[in-house]
Amino acid sequence: MAEEPTGEDAVPQVRTPAVTAGVVVLAILALAFLAVAGYFGYTHWQAEQEAQERSEILDAARQGVVNLTTMDFERADEDVQKVLDGSAGEFRDEFEARSHDLIAVMQEAKVKSQGEVRQAAIETQNGDSADVLVAVAQKVSNAGGAAEEPRGQRMRVTMQLEDGTYKIVKAGFVQ
């Protein structure tokens, strides 16, 4: 068996400039591929997060508007509490302050209303706040003989992230 030369007798393996350039080009291409894949992966993740957030805002706005437009004199306390649970800030404070009068009027007039959201869309979004336009159909009946014909209404609700959920902080009708 012949021994391989070691130490000073060893012949160094010489890389040609073409091989070295090829290795460098492959390394650069691999890094570029990783950078592009990372960028697209991040932007996809970011788009998914934004879509999830928009979905949460719209779901909360829809439910909040249904709660505002669906009331039954037989369970007025529960219905008012649903609105309070889905609201925050000045809107919640004002609604709570007027809730006893609202309940009394509902019970006296035997009011029943049923709201159904037809469409909802985010008008503007800024950080943890969004204005949402909501088209709702509401059927109302009462002891005075109001018919249950659906009334179309458009509302603008401002949603604000509070304690991990979006809540109504402002609501109004749009003409």
Side-chain angles (χ1 to χ4, degrees):
M1 248 190 188
E3 288 185 33
E4 290 188 23
T6 59
E8 291 179 17
D9 297 336
V11 177
Q13 294 202 353
V14 178
R15 290 189 180 167
T16 64
V19 170
T20 302
V23 169
V24 168
V25 167
L26 285 175
I28 289 171
L29 287 174
L31 288 174
F33 174 76
L34 288 174
V36 169
Y39 171 77
F40 283 121
Y42 175 74
T43 56
H44 176 73
W45 174 82
Q46 191 175 29
E48 293 269 330
Q49 294 297 110
E50 290 170 1
Q52 176 67 29
E53 183 177 32
R54 284 190 304 273
S55 178
E56 289 175 16
I57 291 168
L58 288 171
D59 289 347
R62 283 184 187 103
Q63 187 61 55
V65 168
V66 166
N67 291 346
L68 280 169
T69 58
T70 301
M71 298 278 175
D72 186 334
F73 75 94
E74 294 175 342
R75 58 174 200 275
D77 290 329
E78 297 168 27
D79 290 342
V80 165
Q81 189 59 49
K82 287 180 187 177
V83 174
L84 293 173
D85 291 344
S87 60
E90 286 183 36
F91 177 80
R92 184 186 194 291
D93 295 342
E94 288 176 20
F95 193 86
E96 186 173 33
R98 296 183 176 147
S99 64
H100 298 298
D101 293 337
L102 173 64
I103 291 169
V105 168
M106 285 175 49
Q107 290 174 338
E108 182 179 321
K110 298 192 181 333
V111 174
K112 288 187 179 187
S113 65
Q114 179 67 43
E116 178 187 348
V117 172
R118 300 288 172 97
Q119 293 182 339
I122 295 174
E123 181 179 29
T124 60
Q125 184 176 358
N126 186 7
D128 291 342
S129 178
D131 288 330
V132 180
L133 293 174
V134 181
V136 62
Q138 184 182 33
K139 294 179 184 180
V140 178
S141 66
N142 61 35
E148 287 195 20
E149 295 179 25
R151 297 182 216 170
Q153 300 172 343
R154 291 174 293 174
M155 296 181 72
R156 177 179 288 117
V157 291
T158 301
M159 306 301 293
Q160 179 71 42
L161 186 63
E162 186 168 299
D163 298 329
T165 58
Y166 283 92
K167 296 185 177 190
I168 294 175
V169 294
K170 187 176 179 183
F173 291 99
V174 178
Q175 302 252 351

